[in-house]
Amino acid sequence: MSKSVLISGGGIAGPALAFWLRRAGFAPTVVEVAGGPRPGGQTVDLRGISKEVVERMGLMPAVRQRQLHERGFEYVRADGRRSVAMPAELFDGAGPVAEIEILRGDLAEVLAEATQEVEYLYGDSVAQLDQDANGVDVAFASGTRRRFDLVIGADGVHSRVRRLAFGPHDRFVQHLGGYTSYFTVEAPEDLNHWMKVYTAPRGLWVGLRPDHDPRFAKALLSFRSPVIDYDYRDVAAQKALLNQRFKDVGWHAEHILKQLPTAEDFYFDSTSRVVVPEWSQGRVALVGDAGYCGSPLAGHGTALALVGAYVLAGELAANGNHEHAFPAYQRRMQAYVDQRMELPPGGIKMAMPMTAFGIGYRDTMIRLMMSKLLAGPMGKLTVGKPDAIDLQTYSDLQSSDGPLRIAAEQTE
Ligand SMILES: Cc1cc2nc3c(=O)[nH]c(=O)nc-3n(C[C@H](O)[C@H](O)[C@H](O)COP(=O)(O)OP(=O)(O)OC[C@H]3O[C@@H](n4cnc5c(N)ncnc54)[C@H](O)[C@@H]3O)c2cc1C
């Protein structure tokens, strides 16, 4: 059986996979380009079958402890008055705010705590991969060289592993016409547990989402744009772009921009979809956004990453070799991935209209969908679609004492 597994990416999918692989007796190593677990992001939601995976990890109590209790999502006008509100219980919890919302940074922390025994290489990345019949030689950017039985790319939309083993970025990543940034700011008003978004003409979103501490909020700045030629790791260039786009936009944009220079958890990325026809090439495979990502417009990215990590580890453990495990992982996941990568009707054009008329039209359509007449059928349409996956029970992954066992081993 293949034992040593290098996982590139210490976001959500990477640590989740490391958790399961360790439980199944593999020796995972996670390499993360950032200097430590990355904070930042707004809330991500745990929907459907991903809740079951978190239960099986034994991490639901830790998640529940950090869970945010959001009341819903509302579009506001430039003067802050509500235009339309979608409460959390809308469509039986299948609306924009889910039952379990957790800050992405908090979820990353829960996963980091649960994988303390795993080897993490922070501040490094894979520079070269050479695979042969028996293993993969990995050259790291730091100059180190090591050999692993398997390599998994869990390094997000811009996956280096995918580029090295599968082909260039453009072959797999489709730009959906926008960019999004998240970072923490001082709250300019009491959000009262609501996520608020102001849409300005020219396809601009200015959003605020509750933090645990009501003195702070998670800001969101999002704009429509064709591909912009910039270095996606150049934070100064990204901040300059936001200053340009959101100057004099209104609502709390000015307040948010003022805090941009000192934002420590700044995150910026394109709104992109990732479609990779085959998720493995020999001894290298992909999990999470690196292999399948519907973009924040589709949502479900965190759920797909958690479920993908579970199924990949389960198949590796059950099959004994990657030649059977990798295709089985894709077979089990494909329908669910396709289902959850679907974009909402109208896509970015409907969500982020270019004109005042378009914004009014969008809000009217939402009010209509929530009306007494349509809320029932809409609810059935959204809630009535269970996740298109039959979650297996893998005997090698079964143990209700994963995190507890780690704690016990540390005290020995
Ligand atoms: C800081 C941050 C904030 C986010 N905030 C939100 C949010 O608010 N809402 C939302 O819907 N989604 C957000 N996302 C995306 C969301 O986490 C993912 O869509 C989803 O959880 C799937 O997780 P993933 O592990 O596949 O990818 P990611 O969570 O993107 O994790 C990928 C990891 O790989 C690391 N990495 C990248 N390149 C390399 C490399 N060459 N070598 C080693 N490591 C590398 C990254 O630093 C990152 O830690 C955020 C992602 C990040 C990184």
Side-chain angles (χ1 to χ4, degrees):
M1 183 198 282
S2 299
K3 284 282 183 187
S4 63
V5 184
L6 177 69
I7 301 168
S8 172
I12 303 299
L17 179 64
F19 174 95
W20 289 116
L21 286 179
R22 187 165 185 278
R23 187 179 272 186
F26 289 75
T29 296
V30 178
V31 58
E32 163 61 48
V33 72
R38 285 182 68 177
Q42 300 199 316
T43 50
V44 290
D45 39 45
L46 299 184
R47 292 177 193 265
I49 207 77
S50 68
K51 283 190 286 187
E52 174 61 24
V53 170
V54 174
E55 291 281 7
R56 291 187 191 182
M57 293 174 103
L59 298 180
M60 198 49 102
V63 164
R64 291 257 183 221
Q65 240 174 29
R66 292 164 170 87
Q67 183 181 350
L68 275 174
H69 297 279
E70 290 188 349
R71 294 173 63 189
F73 176 107
E74 66 182 31
Y75 282 120
V76 297
R77 301 188 166 90
D79 60 7
R81 278 183 306 128
R82 170 180 288 181
S83 173
V84 59
M86 290 169 267
E89 51 284 0
L90 183 70
F91 309 140
D92 280 344
V97 169
E99 181 222 341
I100 301 186
E101 293 279 353
I102 176 167
L103 289 173
R104 185 202 174 275
D106 284 351
L107 180 59
E109 206 174 277
V110 168
L111 291 169
E113 274 169 23
T115 51
Q116 282 176 36
E117 292 296 295
V118 168
E119 180 189 27
Y120 276 86
L121 309 172
Y122 284 112
D124 207 351
S125 58
V126 172
Q128 205 182 321
L129 294 174
D130 289 303
Q131 51 173 318
D132 54 46
N134 302 315
V136 190
D137 286 318
V138 179
F140 291 89
S142 61
T144 321
R145 286 176 172 275
R146 279 171 68 175
R147 187 169 169 83
F148 295 88
D149 290 314
L150 302 172
V151 172
I152 311 292
D155 39 4
V157 171
H158 305 277
S159 173
R160 172 87 56 83
V161 166
R162 190 185 60 226
R163 181 163 62 72
L164 292 171
F166 293 71
H169 186 76
D170 298 352
R171 198 184 293 167
F172 308 112
V173 182
Q174 303 160 6
H175 182 69
L176 294 182
Y179 289 85
T180 294
S181 169
Y182 308 111
F183 51 100
T184 305
V185 295
E186 283 172 30
E189 62 168 281
D190 181 0
L191 293 173
N192 198 16
H193 307 286
W194 282 87
M195 175 177 182
K196 298 187 177 191
V197 169
Y198 163 58
T199 314
R202 288 181 290 124
L204 301 169
W205 264 29
V206 181
L208 286 169
R209 201 157 189 176
D211 196 343
H212 289 292
D213 183 341
R215 290 173 302 165
F216 297 96
K218 301 294 181 194
L220 153 76
L221 296 177
S222 203
F223 60 91
R224 276 176 64 178
S225 164
V227 175
I228 302 172
D229 190 16
Y230 75 104
D231 173 2
Y232 82 93
R233 293 212 183 277
D234 184 348
V235 172
Q238 296 163 1
K239 290 185 177 179
L241 261 172
L242 292 173
N243 270 311
Q244 225 178 52
R245 299 272 170 161
F246 288 89
K247 191 169 178 291
D248 300 326
V249 160
W251 194 51
H252 292 305
E254 198 184 329
H255 169 90
I256 293 171
L257 286 182
K258 269 193 194 142
Q259 297 177 63
L260 197 49
T262 51
E264 283 177 5
D265 59 350
F266 180 76
Y267 168 82
F268 182 94
D269 209 344
S270 61
T271 309
S272 296
R273 225 170 116 78
V274 177
V275 181
V276 182
E278 279 187 50
W279 306 342
S280 61
Q281 290 289 335
R283 291 178 168 270
V284 182
L286 303 171
V287 66
D289 281 1
Y292 34 85
C293 167
S295 86
L297 277 176
H300 300 280
T302 301
L304 288 173
L306 290 169
V307 178
Y310 173 77
V311 175
L312 175 53
E315 292 300 332
L316 279 168
N319 281 282
N321 70 59
H322 67 279
E323 285 104 330
H324 290 120
F326 287 164
Y329 151 62
Q330 180 155 1
R331 263 197 317 274
R332 292 211 187 276
M333 286 288 291
Q334 189 75 66
Y336 171 51
V337 165
D338 292 346
Q339 175 194 33
R340 295 308 177 205
M341 278 179 55
E342 253 175 50
L343 293 175
I348 199 166
K349 290 185 182 155
M350 184 69 174
M352 304 174 73
M354 296 300 275
T355 62
F357 174 80
I359 296 167
Y361 175 76
R362 176 199 66 193
D363 292 1
T364 306
M365 291 305 288
I366 294 173
R367 278 186 218 108
L368 195 68
M369 283 192 301
M370 294 189 333
S371 65
K372 281 207 176 100
L373 193 66
L374 287 182
M378 280 305 297
K380 284 204 183 75
L381 259 181
T382 44
V383 181
K385 285 188 185 166
D387 291 316
I389 182 168
D390 186 11
L391 202 65
Q392 302 293 300
T393 302
Y394 299 102
S395 58
D396 296 290
L397 304 188
Q398 255 182 327
S399 159
S400 57
D401 64 352
L404 296 179
R405 187 186 59 200
I406 290 168
E409 283 169 6
Q410 277 165 352
T411 56
E412 278 167 15

